[in-house]
Amino acid sequence: MLDLSRLDLEEIATALEDQTDYEHRWLINPQTGEVVFWTTDGGLDGHTPVELDGLDLVSIDPLPSYVWYQDMADFAERISDAAAGRRLARAIQGKGAFRRFKNELHDEYPHLLPAWHAFRDVRAKRRVVEWLVDNSLVDHETGERFVVEHPDPHLP
């Protein structure tokens, strides 16, 4: 089992969010917790192609985008500024929701950015820990304790 305090949860969260393409993968070493980036053309070092099957690493497959979308919906629903919440909820309707949400926050509600970042970050870290438990890289008890100790932050 990996020591949760030694893992880069933000880097693993980035990997779990990465919806870009299938020409690359994020991988984690189950012995050390080191996260590496693999590409079809450059392997692990950027120069030497290597097959994924030959590596003793765990692939960090991205979580579906609806998981991350729910954070935006929950944030819009839970903020106390009802008008801002309605506008943010409208912004996430249809294709391009992530971009519109970000633009709406930056352009119209920059004062909510710190709250959004704190909200998104704590949820991302909890997802990372749940993923680590699901992949038997961190024990269940450690995962449960982390989730309990990292609730959603209070929103303005």
Side-chain angles (χ1 to χ4, degrees), residues 18-25 62:
D18 187 352
Q19 306 282 330
T20 53
D21 67 33
Y22 294 100
E23 298 296 314
H24 70 268
R25 290 276 172 87

Side-chain angles (χ1 to χ4, degrees), residues 5 7 14 23 26 42 58 61 71 79 87 92 95-96 110 118 123:
S5 66
L7 298 175
T14 297
E23 298 296 314
W26 294 87
V58 176
D61 296 325
D71 292 343
I79 57 175
R87 284 192 59 174
I92 62 174
K95 191 174 174 104
R123 285 196 163 190

Side-chain angles (χ1 to χ4, degrees), residues 27-46:
L27 308 161
I28 187 169
N29 183 320
Q31 308 305 315
T32 65
E34 177 189 12
V35 175
V36 294
F37 191 72
W38 171 91
T39 65
T40 52
D41 296 338
L44 296 174
D45 63 6

Side-chain angles (χ1 to χ4, degrees), residues 5 23-24 33 41 51 62-63 65 99 106-107 109 129 141 148 154:
S5 66
E23 298 296 314
H24 70 268
D41 296 338
E51 292 295 321
L63 297 175
S65 60
R99 179 187 39 78
H106 281 272
D107 296 345
Y109 306 102
V129 172
E141 181 181 308
V148 168
H154 174 72

